[in-house]
Amino acid sequence: MDRRAFVTKVPLTIGAAAAVGAGAEAAQESPPEPYNRNFPQAGNPGGKVPDFAKNFVTTDMNGTGPDGKPTGQTATFSGASKKGVTADTASAKMQLTADEQAILDGKEGPEKAKLMKIMVRFGETFGATKMVDLGGAPHSNLFIGAPYLGSLIDMLNECADAGLKSYATYTVNPRPYDVYNVQNNATEMEMIYQGYPLQMKLDYVHSRLGAPDLNYRSCACYLDEVGNAPDPGTYVAWCESSAVNYGNSVLGIRTNRYGAGMEMICAMLGKAPLFGLMTDEGRKAKWLIDVKTTGEPDWGALGTAIGRKCVEDIPYIAGVEDYFGGEVNNQNMHKLKAMGSATAAAGAVGCYHVEGVTPEPKEKGRDMLAEGYETYAFDDAEQQRIIDTFENLWPDQDAHPNAAFIGCPHNTYHEVVKWVKLITGALEEAGQDETAIPVYMFMPNVVRTRFLEEETELAGKARRAGMFYTNMCAVVYSGMKGFSDRIRGVTNSAKTRNYSSIRYFPDDKLVDIILTGKI
Ligand code: F3S
């Protein structure tokens, strides 16, 4: 292996992990070999944060109020937003065990030593003083084979060449395109092959490092069919904002919000620095969200409101217990999936607690609230105010929609059956054979296979009516060059709406639009 090449590439991972823009500086400012853990000494216990990390608190997820104005809160990626925070705020000195020190000293090879070096610097930057062993299985959101990820993919390949592997079979986000079901036209295929030239290289290195076949690709890795749902309390390293906050909140696992690549380093070491959302203190809620809507809330609007208000602070949500009947199950989990993913798209919420519903408040009640917490009331008027902020971003605002997007995060099996029945039932009632616009249903292949096996007739009927089952990522598709010029999309996903020009509608309205092709 070209050792020098490896060194210059490794810090890019930290850049990807914490802040766009830090990587290039990191590549030039790596400390000289051998790594000196005391670098630099002055100031706080861990020393001054090096220059390359100065952008670690720069993010597009800083607080923005519903009025579009900055709230002053800054995301720190540690599970607690702050005002006036700087990169120096969290710096610490890591205490290593003898085994960890041996890895750092190169006893298990130069590649692993460098991964450990990154891990130590990463942990110290975020205030960790020790590492913990990981359990369960990792989840990676390194899923786009675009040129800008080339150095990171090369780094992973060098690790695979050296025989490194994830400590457990891990799951990966959906691929960014689908040339089988949706993008099987010449123009989009051309753009895909030009835009993602490293896709096969990325897929290949994932399989070398321990990912299963592509049928398991999904952001909803915790679905029964995909099977990555570690036990409560398990330390893991997950990367994908919607999966991280579902895992922390509903499963009760303990993971920070990693950036793409850092979770793979944790996976290959089987360790992660202990800070933020992995600690008891870091999981306490700074906000009480008092839901007072007269009926079931719009989960996407609620999540968006929470994300904008809390930034990355943890919310404790009260007033929605009745909509879960005492437990989260396959029939109602989509509500938390929709809400949680919106908190992580409109803000950077990595964990939330729902009174009487999710595991930690079920056990500890309002002890999960931090001292001095603030309260935010979410009533019908506030819900409407949030929905009204979703302005129409289509270039031609008065034109008719021409595609529907359902399943960001990926649909559960229950959602697939529900939507297919809703739409085929409505078509029958209207005496129509086909939907007015194509409906893209996003789900992992393992869910689609189950659906085809268990609801064969329904699946065929819906497909003939204009519904497409695809395993790609909805938002990456909507990020394609020229997409917003040619596609006027509608969705029930607030996450999709927060990241794209696709318009957001409640379920019943969406069915109507799908049938009529009109809003
Ligand atoms: Fe999943 Fe892509 Fe949405 S990864 S959560 S479908 S942005």
Side-chain angles (χ1 to χ4, degrees):
M1 183 192 70
D2 179 346
R3 196 158 177 267
R4 186 165 185 80
F6 190 93
V7 171
T8 56
K9 287 164 187 167
V10 163
L12 282 170
T13 310
I14 300 180
V20 174
E25 288 172 67
Q28 291 154 14
E29 299 190 22
S30 306
E33 295 286 350
Y35 176 55
N36 172 8
R37 286 194 51 234
N38 297 322
F39 163 85
Q41 279 291 353
N44 59 37
K48 196 175 174 304
V49 172
D51 274 355
F52 71 76
K54 70 179 188 299
N55 290 330
F56 274 16
V57 290
T58 302
T59 170
D60 61 353
M61 291 183 182
N62 289 342
T64 308
D67 54 2
K69 295 195 179 120
T71 61
Q73 291 294 103
T74 300
T76 63
F77 300 94
S78 64
S81 65
K82 296 187 176 88
K83 285 190 177 167
V85 70
T86 70
D88 293 276
T89 310
S91 157
K93 177 82 187 290
M94 189 95 84
Q95 304 297 317
L96 301 186
T97 64
D99 287 349
E100 290 159 358
Q101 186 64 51
I103 294 172
L104 188 65
D105 292 342
K107 301 272 169 21
E108 295 189 21
E111 296 82 9
K112 225 168 163 181
K114 284 169 188 149
L115 298 184
M116 184 58 89
K117 179 172 113 179
I118 295 168
M119 182 82 88
V120 171
R121 292 296 289 276
F122 173 73
E124 289 181 346
T125 300
F126 286 91
T129 55
K130 67 172 189 173
M131 292 181 200
V132 288
D133 292 329
L134 300 178
H139 178 78
S140 174
N141 86 336
L142 193 53
F143 65 115
I144 299 176
Y148 73 92
L149 284 168
S151 57
L152 188 48
I153 296 168
D154 286 348
M155 186 204 85
L156 294 179
N157 262 314
E158 289 176 26
C159 291
D161 289 346
L164 303 187
K165 220 171 161 71
S166 166
Y167 68 90
T169 303
Y170 64 96
T171 45
V172 184
N173 260 15
R175 292 174 101 230
Y177 58 80
D178 176 1
V179 288
Y180 290 99
N181 302 293
V182 178
Q183 295 161 304
N184 44 7
N185 61 78
T187 311
E188 292 194 1
M189 283 168 69
E190 171 80 14
M191 284 164 77
I192 284 163
Y193 294 129
Q194 282 184 11
Y196 305 112
L198 303 180
Q199 196 63 42
M200 198 195 92
K201 202 172 171 184
L202 177 61
D203 292 341
Y204 181 34
V205 78
H206 272 310
S207 77
R208 294 178 79 198
L209 293 174
D213 67 63
L214 300 178
N215 289 304
Y216 294 86
R217 287 293 179 93
S218 181
C219 38
C221 61
Y222 42 81
L223 299 181
D224 282 353
E225 295 83 0
V226 182
N228 187 358
D231 291 336
T234 308
Y235 293 125
V236 285
W238 279 17
C239 180
E240 157 52 42
S241 67
S242 66
V244 164
N245 89 4
Y246 190 93
N248 272 324
S249 317
V250 185
L251 304 179
I253 62 169
R254 295 194 167 210
T255 174
N256 279 311
R257 276 170 48 101
Y258 295 98
M262 197 63 218
E263 85 291 4
M264 292 306 303
I265 293 174
C266 295
M268 288 184 277
L269 290 171
K271 290 175 180 290
L274 183 65
F275 69 92
L277 298 171
M278 298 171 82
T279 67
D280 287 346
E281 199 47 40
R283 296 171 76 87
K284 289 234 169 160
K286 288 193 179 171
W287 286 91
L288 171 63
I289 311 296
D290 194 7
V291 180
K292 296 169 152 176
T293 47
T294 45
E296 185 165 342
D298 178 311
W299 298 100
L302 175 59
T304 300
I306 293 171
R308 289 177 183 174
K309 181 62 84 176
C310 301
V311 187
E312 66 176 327
D313 291 338
I314 296 178
Y316 181 102
I317 303 151
V320 297
E321 195 175 341
D322 289 351
Y323 305 111
F324 294 90
E327 62 163 15
V328 183
N329 55 38
N330 288 336
Q331 278 67 48
N332 63 29
M333 65 189 291
H334 60 278
K335 300 177 184 183
L336 294 179
K337 181 169 67 76
M339 183 198 72
S341 60
T343 68
V349 173
C351 179
Y352 55 85
H353 302 303
V354 184
E355 192 163 67
V357 177
T358 57
E360 280 155 292
K362 259 185 154 180
E363 189 192 330
K364 297 178 187 154
R366 295 201 172 191
D367 286 350
M368 289 309 297
L369 283 161
E371 213 175 298
Y373 67 85
E374 295 180 74
T375 301
Y376 170 50
F378 185 85
D379 56 14
D380 292 338
E382 183 65 352
Q383 176 165 289
Q384 194 54 52
R385 194 165 72 87
I386 294 291
I387 290 171
D388 290 345
T389 64
F390 287 144
E391 60 194 294
N392 182 349
L393 298 176
W394 292 350
D396 181 356
Q397 297 196 346
D398 299 325
H400 295 312
N402 57 8
F405 293 74
I406 299 172
C408 166
H410 270 182
N411 283 300
T412 66
Y413 180 74
H414 170 81
E415 283 180 296
V416 175
V417 175
K418 179 187 95 172
W419 273 100
V420 165
K421 283 186 175 167
L422 262 178
I423 292 172
T424 53
L427 283 171
E428 218 166 279
E429 216 167 283
Q432 260 176 258
D433 291 334
E434 291 179 12
T435 58
I437 55 176
V439 181
Y440 301 121
M441 299 286 297
F442 300 86
M443 68 192 85
N445 273 1
V446 282
V447 167
R448 183 179 67 172
T449 302
R450 180 180 167 196
F451 178 56
L452 296 177
E453 284 175 1
E454 295 183 17
E455 297 284 354
T456 311
E457 202 176 318
L458 191 60
K461 189 174 173 187
R463 178 66 191 81
R464 287 189 295 278
M467 297 183 78
F468 296 84
Y469 316 126
T470 173
N471 64 353
M472 69 170 153
C473 163
V475 166
V476 176
Y477 177 40
S478 68
M480 259 186 112
K481 198 174 162 193
F483 178 94
S484 57
D485 296 338
R486 64 185 192 282
I487 303 227
R488 294 177 298 277
V490 289
T491 187
N492 65 337
S493 162
K495 174 167 181 170
T496 297
R497 173 58 188 85
N498 275 294
Y499 284 152
S500 74
S501 60
I502 298 176
R503 291 176 66 185
Y504 178 72
F505 293 98
D507 290 359
D508 52 345
K509 180 75 186 157
L510 197 55
V511 173
D512 187 49
I513 295 169
I514 287 166
L515 254 67
T516 62
K518 291 187 183 131
I519 293 172

